[in-house]
Amino acid sequence: MQLPAALRQALDARLDRHAIDDLRSGGERLSGRYRAEIRDGRQHLDGEPAVLAYLAARMPATFAAIRASLEQITLRRPDFAPDTLLDIGAGPGTALWAASDAFESLREATLVEASAPALAVGQALAEEGLAVATRWVRGDATANLAECAPADLVTLAYVLDELAPEARGPLVSRLWRFTRDVLVIVEPGTPAGWQRVLAAREQLLAGGAQLLAPCPHAKVCPVAAPDWCHFAQRVARSRTHRLAKRGTVPYEDEKFAYLAVARRPTVPLTARVLASPRSGSGKVQLKLCTSDGQLRERLVTKRESEMFRTARRLDWGDALE
């Protein structure tokens, strides 16, 4: 996956003015906070250096995870054409860029962000390359969000991990009330991230939400620890991104967990691929979550000619209709 050209150009123009060593050290500190899921009362993006480090080290991968999650919505609901977006914990607008790239219909967006430096950078980036009318609101995700209005698409990406456990459920309920059609939650692809997504899944299903992705069923999740449900998206690195991450290859793979729910049901899936298929001579081994709520290993051989051709094209995260 590539970043949109306008975003790549805007990031390069902003980051090229800063020393790589500064971006690298800031990125390492920021990544350390994300990995450790530190909640010490400080915002991760608490100043301009941290925001610049995010642009260099985290924004491309975060964009890729959100964009991949939105792609599954377009596959499940080809008719979904949101006009409005509400994004909570927007940072510098990563979900805004992903939604604008996924949905040409998007016209208006409200973005809520607690960090003033992140909000300022996000607003400047949006003005440089997006044809979406944006409204930026400085506010905490756990506030009452009184300044926000319901939207066709509501997004909450890489935010639940920054909140105290007791704040997550009320926020999910609040966002569901703001959702006219589709709510998307994205978290890091860690066991803890999956548990947060799983808790939101149970809560939203109890509140009447209809599953879009990734689950092919609304039954109890069959995945059990030490396994966890997560996916991966490869994103191309710019020169600055690669140097800031001390990377030696021109790409990175972002692991993420996600949930997409809607106000109305859609045609159910047959199964979802939960791991990279293992191919051999005349066979493909698939790990599937199936519509009956089971976790199954499925060996597809050449004898099943049509299914074999399908299986050879499948990738981790793909759906079986």
Side-chain angles (χ1 to χ4, degrees):
M1 180 181 292
Q2 296 271 0
L3 294 181
L7 179 57
R8 289 201 310 271
Q9 293 164 8
L11 291 180
D12 288 345
R14 186 169 294 270
L15 294 173
D16 284 349
R17 302 194 296 265
H18 300 274
I20 285 294
D21 285 346
D22 292 341
L23 297 174
R24 181 180 293 148
S25 59
E28 289 170 351
R29 285 194 299 273
L30 185 63
S31 294
R33 288 183 64 85
Y34 279 121
R35 282 195 299 271
E37 298 187 359
I38 292 174
R39 294 191 300 274
D40 55 6
R42 289 175 49 213
Q43 298 168 354
H44 288 338
L45 305 182
D46 60 356
E48 186 178 9
V51 175
L52 291 171
Y54 175 89
L55 297 182
R58 285 297 307 155
M59 192 171 188
T62 303
F63 171 92
I66 300 170
R67 182 65 179 82
S69 302
L70 298 178
E71 177 68 17
Q72 292 303 317
I73 297 173
T74 65
L75 293 174
R76 303 291 296 118
R77 284 268 307 276
D79 63 324
F80 181 55
D83 184 69
T84 54
L85 165 72
L86 172 62
D87 182 37
I88 305 300
T94 311
L96 168 65
W97 284 90
S100 178
D101 190 56
F103 304 109
E104 293 183 0
S105 59
L106 193 65
R107 294 293 176 264
E108 299 178 8
T110 298
L111 303 107
V112 180
E113 172 54 43
S115 165
L119 189 150
V121 170
Q123 191 168 10
L125 289 174
E127 290 172 352
E128 291 175 24
L130 284 178
V132 177
T134 58
R135 178 170 173 263
W136 296 79
V137 178
R138 188 176 180 193
D140 190 275
T142 58
N144 62 16
L145 306 177
E147 297 184 57
C148 300
D152 302 326
L153 173 63
V154 177
T155 52
L156 183 74
Y158 293 78
V159 173
L160 290 178
D161 64 325
E162 298 187 35
L163 303 181
E166 63 272 15
R168 296 168 189 159
L171 176 59
V172 170
S173 294
R174 199 175 301 124
L175 294 189
W176 181 235
R177 291 196 295 272
F178 278 109
T179 303
R180 284 201 193 106
D181 197 340
V182 174
L183 168 63
V184 179
I185 297 172
V186 185
E187 282 288 294
T190 62
W194 170 61
Q195 287 292 339
R196 289 189 291 269
V197 169
L198 196 58
R201 177 186 187 271
E202 294 171 358
Q203 178 181 343
L204 288 163
L205 287 176
Q210 303 292 318
L211 279 169
L212 280 180
C215 311
H217 62 85
K219 299 177 175 63
V220 174
C221 179
V223 180
D227 195 7
W228 71 101
C229 182
H230 66 293
F231 304 93
Q233 178 62 50
R234 178 161 292 183
V235 59
R237 285 171 166 164
S238 67
R239 175 182 177 277
T240 301
H241 183 198
R242 180 174 55 80
L243 293 174
K245 297 293 291 286
R246 300 181 189 269
T248 58
V249 294
Y251 62 85
E252 72 173 273
D253 295 319
E254 175 71 358
K255 304 289 180 63
F256 65 99
Y258 77 101
L259 177 71
V261 296
R263 287 287 178 187
R264 59 185 177 87
T266 188
V267 178
L269 291 175
T270 299
R272 176 80 62 181
V273 181
L274 294 193
S276 294
R278 301 189 300 274
S279 298
S281 178
K283 60 184 179 181
V284 179
Q285 184 80 26
L286 299 173
K287 179 181 178 181
L288 300 174
C289 182
T290 57
S291 59
D292 59 356
Q294 300 298 310
L295 196 62
R296 289 193 170 92
E297 293 285 340
R298 171 84 152 86
L299 180 64
V300 183
T301 67
K302 275 187 174 180
R303 293 181 180 178
E304 305 170 81
S305 56
E306 185 174 347
M307 182 60 192
F308 181 69
R309 286 193 294 271
T310 298
R312 291 183 64 187
R313 295 191 298 268
L314 290 173
D315 201 355
W316 183 7
D318 284 348
L320 283 171
E321 302 289 343

